[in-house]
Amino acid sequence: DDSHHKAADGRVMRVQVLYFARARELVGGLTREDWDIEPGWTTSDLQVAVLSRHSALEGLLRTCAWALNEDYIDGPAALKDGDQLALIPPISGG
Amino acid sequence: DRVRSPAAGAVVTFSGTTRNSFEGKTVLSLEYEAYTAMAEKELRRVCEQVREKWADIIHLAIEHKTGSCPIGDTSVIIAVSSPHRASALEAAKFALDTLKANVPIWKKEIYAESDPAWKANKEFFEAHNVN
């Protein structure tokens, strides 16, 4: 598949953004979204791009956490091909 | 039953049950959504943390329901066994508090008189330093 050849060359990386709960509702029901990004992008770059594409998320974003590959992150992290960045709205389990 | 042991003098079980009202509003039902892979990872972390803090815990089990949950049903169970009651009681409370702070599960309340609402645990805001 072409996108994987590009990633191996280091020119484009494909990552996924995951949406849950209120975030999922605000992006029209989307649960996962593929992003082709440039090498060197951090999670912060991707977060800015997500807000740009989905401006309806703005109010909610302030209350959210983010998780990279199923672990919470508390600051910018480097991204690599195949990474999953999840937007975590305030949780309510238990 | 999963946590019973001949070495246990105490088995503590906590069940979270769905109640029919919130701030005067009638709750008809609840829905739980989970980021399953990460929720399982975080639940395992809760268990590891419990064992680090209370070395005498024998068994520990946590289960959370996903999907729709009618009123009166159990949404979460935490069961823990230890030789004496203090550890099991404290560990169960800690497990619940930590679950509420970290495990990516979301609850939506469906009301009789107003629009549904996604709930938010205060423990999440405290743990993740958000507004």
Side-chain angles (χ1 to χ4, degrees):
Chain A
D1 153 312
D2 210 48
S3 61
H4 286 291
H5 287 136
K6 280 186 196 160
D9 288 342
R11 261 171 247 142
V12 167
M13 303 194 296
R14 170 158 288 189
V15 299
Q16 277 191 332
V17 175
L18 307 183
Y19 300 100
F20 297 94
R22 185 66 188 140
R24 177 178 50 76
E25 289 176 346
L26 289 170
V27 299
L30 200 53
T31 56
R32 45 180 65 199
E33 186 178 50
D34 286 331
W35 284 79
D36 288 329
I37 62 173
E38 300 194 13
W41 268 42
T42 65
T43 52
S44 295
D45 298 318
L46 184 52
Q47 288 163 12
V48 167
V50 163
L51 179 57
S52 241
R53 185 183 286 188
H54 302 289
S55 57
L57 288 172
E58 184 170 359
L60 184 72
L61 272 181
R62 269 170 246 140
T63 67
C64 294
W66 293 85
L68 179 62
N69 301 326
E70 301 164 11
D71 287 317
Y72 286 106
I73 49 173
D74 54 18
L79 286 169
K80 62 186 188 310
D81 187 57
D83 274 352
Q84 273 193 347
L85 183 66
L87 178 55
I88 309 285
I91 62 179
S92 32
Chain B
D1 284 340
R2 264 186 238 173
V3 302
R4 290 190 181 283
S5 161
V11 174
V12 170
T13 308
F14 169 82
S15 306
T17 53
T18 55
R19 59 186 158 93
N20 60 10
S21 74
F22 175 73
E23 287 177 357
K25 292 185 278 203
T26 308
V27 181
L28 298 175
S29 65
L30 291 96
E31 287 162 20
Y32 286 98
E33 180 175 335
Y35 180 3
T36 306
M38 185 176 169
E40 288 176 352
K41 196 168 176 175
E42 288 292 327
L43 281 171
R44 244 171 263 127
R45 266 199 190 120
V46 170
C47 294
E48 282 161 14
Q49 285 179 268
V50 165
R51 288 192 177 283
E52 273 165 37
K53 293 171 94 76
W54 293 275
D56 58 345
I57 296 302
I58 303 167
H59 294 306
L60 170 59
I62 307 178
E63 262 189 25
H64 202 298
K65 191 164 183 170
T66 55
S68 45
C69 199
I71 298 302
D73 265 28
T74 298
S75 51
V76 62
I77 295 185
I78 297 171
V80 55
S81 54
S82 61
H84 305 286
R85 69 189 183 282
S87 294
L89 284 165
E90 289 166 27
K93 181 183 190 312
F94 173 84
L96 181 62
D97 291 341
T98 309
L99 185 158
K100 282 178 161 295
N102 294 333
V103 177
I105 295 175
W106 296 271
K107 173 170 78 174
K108 188 174 186 177
E109 283 180 347
I110 316 296
Y111 304 112
E113 318 90 344
S114 47
D115 287 340
W118 291 97
K119 306 314 301 297
N121 295 337
K122 65 170 165 48
E123 293 87 351
F124 173 84
F125 297 112
E126 289 157 6
H128 297 279
N129 224 31
V130 291
N131 299 322

